[in-house]
């Protein structure tokens, strides 16, 4: 039998459940705009961005990541910056704000509370870590 009996009406289609943003988990994230002085007189500062060659769909990103339980957003920003870049001598100079980012349009039932910070590279040693490659 390939389908419903012609004398029996088909059941009405059920709409997909609409996720409730209030019930979706909220995950804390910290992201860092890391600046270093530009080279040359009057040159604008350089901004560090990361590219992950092993994950081409990730695109170019700011250093950052998930805030661990009990960790402050500022501490997470510095930890993630060190983990992803291997750079030493960075310091946060400003909290730039936060934004709630809904991931449902991307197929994920979660939200990110993203905290943004500005940091400066004070000439510390180190290079780009294995987590990503620098791009300007």
């Amino acid at each position: 039998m390939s389908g419903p009996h012609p004398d029996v009406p088909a059941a009405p289609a059920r709409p997909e459940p609409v996720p409730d943003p209030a019930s979706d988990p909220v995950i804390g994230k910290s992201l860092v705009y890391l600046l270093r002085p530009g080279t040359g007189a009057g040159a604008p500062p350089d901004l560090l961005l990361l590219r992950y060659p092993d994950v081409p769909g990730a695109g170019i990103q700011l250093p950052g990541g998930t805030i661990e339980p009990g960790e402050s957003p500022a501490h997470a920003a510095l930890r993630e910056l060190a983990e992803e870049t291997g750079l030493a001598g960075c310091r946060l100079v400003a909290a730039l704000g936060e934004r709630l980012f809904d991931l449902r349009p991307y197929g994920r039932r979660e939200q990110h509370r993203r905290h943004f910070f500005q940091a400066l590279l004070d000439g510390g040693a180190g290079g780009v870590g294995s987590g990503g490659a620098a791009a300007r």
Side-chain angles (χ1 to χ4, degrees):
M1 189 168 185
S2 62
H5 190 277
D7 295 332
V8 178
R14 291 186 181 173
E16 285 292 314
V18 177
D20 178 8
S23 67
D24 292 344
V26 177
I27 299 167
K29 299 284 184 174
S30 286
L31 299 144
V32 183
Y33 290 88
L34 176 63
L35 302 175
R36 71 171 181 192
T39 54
D46 292 323
L47 172 66
L48 178 76
L49 299 171
L50 302 177
R51 181 179 299 130
Y52 295 89
D54 295 339
V55 189
I60 296 175
Q61 301 181 2
L62 294 169
T66 302
I67 300 169
E68 299 295 333
E71 185 177 41
S72 72
H75 186 267
L78 287 172
R79 177 183 51 76
E80 289 286 347
L81 185 58
E83 287 176 5
E84 293 186 3
T85 68
L87 293 172
C90 298
R91 64 185 169 91
L92 297 182
V93 295
L96 303 174
E98 65 181 66
R99 177 174 180 251
L100 192 62
F101 189 78
D102 186 359
L103 290 166
R104 287 177 297 148
Y106 305 96
R108 295 171 63 185
R109 288 195 58 185
E110 63 186 50
Q111 298 180 65
H112 289 174
R113 181 168 310 282
R114 295 182 177 179
H115 301 264
F116 297 91
F117 294 91
Q118 179 184 350
L120 292 177
L121 178 58
D122 290 331
V128 175
S130 62
R136 260 176 89 180

